Amino acid sequence: FSIEQCKHRVKCNKTNKKQSFMAGVLTLFFAQIVIKILGLIYRLIITNIPYFGDAGNGLYSAGYQIYTLLLAIASIGVPSAIAKLVSEKIAVGKHREAHDIFKTALLLFGIIGLIGSSILFFGARYIATSLIGNPDVEGIMVALAPAVFFVAVSAVIRGYFNGMYNMKVSSNSQMLEQLFKSILTIGLVVAVYFLAVVNPTDLAKSLGLSVDTVTVAMATAANAASTIATVICCGYLLIYYQRSKKEIWKNINEANEIGYKKEKKTSIMKKILAVSIPISLASIISAINRNIDTFTVINGLKVALAGLYPTVELLQNEATRLYGILSGRVDTLIGLPTALNVAFATALVPAVSETMAKGDAKTARRRITFSIRTTLLIALPCAIGMCVLAEPILNLLFPNVYAKEAGLLLQISSFTIIFTLMNQTVAGALQGLGKVMAPAASLGCGAIVKLILNLILIRNPQIGIYGAAISSVAAALTAMIINLIVLRKKIKLDTDKVSLIIKPIIATLVMGAVAFLTHYYANMLIEKDRIATIIAIILAVIVYIFAILSLKVFDREDYHMLPLGDKIYKFLQKLKIVKP
């Protein structure tokens, strides 16, 4: 090749790297938007159904959080771990070794998933009675038990295709799972309601359903829907893998790996566990962090509210209701932006691993810096928007279930969005850089902070349920500070504090002021709070976008990181928003 041809090939390779990374991010980003919208819809519907409400959310969430803990042990860190190992092998042309890793991981985590399902099924009674403090949660956990195995198998397949930069498999399977979960959850909960309340039948009596037990039955049905959805998703992934086998083996044969020697399964398992355990450890600690509320909120509120209720049953019901507000409404809303940012964390692991394996630290720095900036641009407006419009948003989404505690809980919890999203992105960068233990260690420190504060604050009658929200903010902040310190020591980022921090903060403050004032005056003029809230949100989003563009938060290189980035930049040039 001539010198000019070589330069052209290098330029094309850099462009392809940027676009493949951002294409993966956007694929997962779109999937997460669909997933969270579907998740929000079904949670809104079932929460507003009579007899479910905050009490149903409390039962539903208590059982589900135990399930997520076992899920974290069996599978949650697996996609990132498998993606990291596979991408490193494929980057140097070792497709057969990448496939060996996949097959061994499938066997290993299939066994681990089966063990997790067994623990949840046979240990449900002890966990519900002794740890959570509510025997009604037992049946809910039993209904979720089989899902652990199927999710573990699904996680391995997702990780394999993620490592090959085929993010569509993960996104499509997750959307499919959420779609069926949403439809089945609504269908089964409504079916129980009609069966036991609206039109009681002999079948309902034979199942022991009555108005007194309908909330428990609804929560159990909702979690049973999750299990059915995971089975369908696993089936889809297995079929996709079978159909992709021809292409996979074509790549393996074309690679023609010289000196290939089949490695023992035990040796491969050790390598997989060496990567997956630290990555999964972060997920496990994160799940433990969420379960700290499961184990401490209800029991702590029983202490804080002792003497205010004449019977133990009424005390337990009130504690479960308050926990339901936190887990069913507040955490659902807080989880919306948190889930959207998963795209950057997921795509960063194989993207950074690949570039570092090739010795391209410059591209790795650029991707990490861009992801952190974009994370802040998502986190800051979401946090301030939910804080400023907490009560209006809750009234808009949960019109049939009023609770005076919900507004302040959401305002306090909104600040966890900033720190949690930053943790996701920085953890993905650290894992890609090989510092797989750092995210786990930081989350562990955060979990300790949360546990201590929960035990102290929730039991205080003057603080009560708000203690859980305060401790969550403190825990997320602790973890973020530790992660940033480790990242700064590991790699020098292309940081411009003005565009990275100051400009996003200015844009966010302007947006927050617009949101508050718009809602205040719109509510005075039309006297319809829901319409005023919608107007305030729409106007705030428009103002925020214009503020970001006016402050020039993104430079020319950032726009080119995006698919169709050249066209976007040229369009903004015509509007004279950016310079030629």
Side-chain angles (χ1 to χ4, degrees):
F1 297 104
S2 67
I3 293 174
E4 291 302 318
Q5 286 175 319
C6 290
K7 287 180 178 179
H8 176 71
R9 287 170 66 85
V10 170
K11 184 179 179 181
C12 289
N13 285 336
K14 288 181 178 179
T15 302
N16 289 336
K17 283 179 182 179
K18 291 175 184 178
Q19 292 190 347
S20 63
F21 167 64
M22 279 310 301
V25 170
L26 291 176
T27 299
L28 293 170
F29 189 81
F30 174 76
Q32 289 298 323
I33 289 175
V34 174
I35 288 167
K36 296 313 294 184
I37 289 174
L38 289 172
L40 178 62
I41 288 171
Y42 88 75
R43 287 302 287 262
L44 291 178
I45 291 174
I46 63 175
T47 300
N48 285 292
I49 293 175
Y51 292 93
F52 194 88
D54 291 323
N57 272 323
L59 294 168
Y60 175 90
S61 299
Y64 197 83
Q65 292 302 339
I66 299 296
Y67 159 73
T68 59
L69 176 58
L70 288 170
L71 209 60
I73 297 170
S75 68
I76 286 182
V78 175
S80 295
I82 304 301
K84 175 179 170 60
L85 292 170
V86 169
S87 64
E88 288 174 348
K89 293 295 183 184
I90 289 177
V92 292
K94 295 182 178 180
H95 290 264
R96 190 181 295 271
E97 289 186 24
H99 193 254
D100 288 343
I101 290 171
F102 163 68
K103 290 192 298 182
T104 305
L106 201 60
L107 173 65
L108 175 63
F109 288 102
I111 294 170
I112 293 174
L114 189 62
I115 293 171
S117 290
S118 301
I119 292 172
L120 190 59
F121 184 85
F122 294 107
R125 177 171 295 181
Y126 171 77
I127 295 170
T129 305
S130 302
L131 299 181
I132 298 176
N134 193 330
D136 292 334
V137 182
E138 179 186 351
I140 295 168
M141 288 188 287
V142 170
L144 279 168
V148 180
F149 169 77
F150 291 103
V151 175
V153 173
S154 299
V156 175
I157 303 174
R158 284 172 178 157
Y160 180 54
F161 285 105
N162 283 355
M164 294 189 290
Y165 278 100
N166 187 347
M167 302 295 180
K168 288 184 179 180
V169 184
S170 285
S171 60
N172 289 343
S173 64
Q174 289 172 337
M175 287 190 290
L176 181 71
E177 180 180 343
Q178 188 67 23
L179 177 63
F180 276 97
K181 181 178 177 180
S182 301
I183 294 171
L184 290 169
T185 299
I186 295 169
L188 291 177
V189 169
V190 170
V192 171
Y193 175 67
F194 274 90
L195 191 68
V197 179
V198 178
N199 186 24
T201 64
D202 292 335
L203 176 61
K205 293 177 182 178
S206 66
L207 294 173
L209 294 179
S210 65
V211 172
D212 294 333
T213 61
V214 69
T215 303
V216 178
M218 282 177 161
T220 304
N223 277 322
S226 298
T227 297
I228 299 170
T230 60
V231 175
I232 294 170
C233 176
C234 185
Y236 163 79
L237 286 167
L238 289 170
I239 292 170
Y240 187 93
Y241 169 70
Q242 288 297 325
R243 291 182 175 178
S244 303
K245 264 189 173 181
K246 185 177 179 180
E247 183 68 23
I248 290 169
W249 280 100
K250 179 184 176 183
N251 292 333
I252 291 172
N253 293 328
E254 287 179 352
N256 192 22
E257 298 170 36
I258 300 172
Y260 167 77
K261 185 178 180 181
K262 191 173 181 63
E263 194 173 356
K264 291 182 179 178
K265 279 187 169 54
T266 52
S267 177
I268 296 175
M269 284 182 182
K270 289 179 181 178
K271 291 180 180 179
I272 293 171
L273 291 173
V275 177
S276 66
I277 287 177
I279 292 179
S280 295
L281 192 58
S283 301
I284 292 167
I285 295 172
S286 181
I288 290 173
N289 206 331
R290 292 191 298 271
N291 272 282
I292 288 172
D293 281 344
T294 305
F295 296 138
T296 59
V297 170
I298 294 177
N299 289 319
L301 287 172
K302 286 180 181 178
V303 175
L305 301 174
L308 297 178
Y309 294 89
T311 65
V312 175
E313 184 179 357
L314 288 174
L315 177 62
Q316 179 174 286
N317 290 342
E318 176 61 10
T320 303
R321 183 189 72 84
L322 290 171
Y323 174 65
I325 297 170
L326 177 68
S327 61
R329 290 202 253 173
V330 174
D331 286 352
T332 297
L333 294 175
I334 296 299
L336 289 173
T338 305
L340 294 179
N341 193 64
V342 168
F344 285 100
T346 303
L348 265 178
V349 177
V352 173
S353 296
E354 180 196 31
T355 52
M356 294 302 289
K358 293 179 178 179
D360 189 1
K362 183 178 179 181
T363 301
R365 285 197 300 270
R366 187 65 186 174
R367 287 176 175 175
I368 294 170
T369 304
F370 177 80
S371 297
I372 289 175
R373 182 185 291 115
T374 309
T375 292
L376 283 173
L377 290 174
I378 295 171
L380 289 171
C382 289
I384 299 303
M386 286 193 189
C387 182
V388 170
L389 299 176
E391 284 279 0
I393 289 173
L394 288 166
N395 292 335
L396 174 68
L397 299 177
F398 303 98
N400 297 333
V401 190
Y402 172 77
K404 62 179 180 180
E405 303 89 353
L408 183 55
L409 269 176
L410 182 57
Q411 287 181 318
I412 297 170
S413 299
S414 64
F415 291 97
T416 62
I417 295 172
I418 302 170
F419 311 132
T420 302
L421 265 64
M422 282 293 292
N423 279 329
Q424 285 179 333
T425 300
V426 177
L430 289 173
Q431 289 165 1
L433 292 168
K435 300 291 289 185
V436 290
M437 284 299 296
S442 65
L443 286 173
C445 294
I448 293 170
V449 170
K450 180 169 179 59
L451 177 61
I452 293 171
L453 290 178
N454 263 22
L455 292 174
I456 295 172
L457 298 178
I458 296 174
R459 292 167 180 261
N460 185 332
Q462 302 301 318
I463 301 174
I465 189 64
Y466 304 112
I470 295 169
S471 66
S472 292
V473 175
L477 175 61
T478 301
M480 186 194 72
I481 292 171
I482 295 171
N483 279 332
L484 287 174
I485 291 171
V486 176
L487 181 65
R488 189 176 180 181
K489 289 182 178 180
K490 182 65 180 178
I491 191 169
K492 186 178 180 180
L493 299 179
D494 304 324
T495 54
D496 175 5
K497 291 181 180 179
V498 174
S499 63
L500 186 66
I501 300 173
I502 296 175
K503 288 182 178 179
I505 289 176
I506 293 172
T508 301
L509 292 176
V510 171
M511 181 221 70
V514 169
F516 176 80
L517 293 173
T518 302
H519 177 266
Y520 179 79
Y521 286 109
N523 202 19
M524 287 178 60
L525 291 172
I526 59 180
E527 297 183 351
K528 291 185 179 180
D529 187 68
R530 294 180 193 174
I531 296 175
T533 303
I534 294 171
I535 293 171
I537 292 172
I538 293 172
L539 188 59
V541 171
I542 294 171
V543 168
Y544 182 70
I545 292 172
F546 273 101
I548 292 298
L549 294 174
S550 301
L551 291 168
K552 297 179 176 58
V553 175
F554 286 130
D555 60 24
R556 183 167 186 168
E557 186 68 17
D558 288 329
Y559 284 108
H560 294 331
M561 288 279 285
L562 299 169
L564 303 177
D566 291 335
K567 292 183 179 180
I568 294 172
Y569 194 80
K570 287 178 181 177
F571 175 73
L572 294 175
Q573 279 181 333
K574 291 180 180 179
L575 298 176
K576 296 182 179 181
I577 294 174
V578 297
K579 294 180 180 180

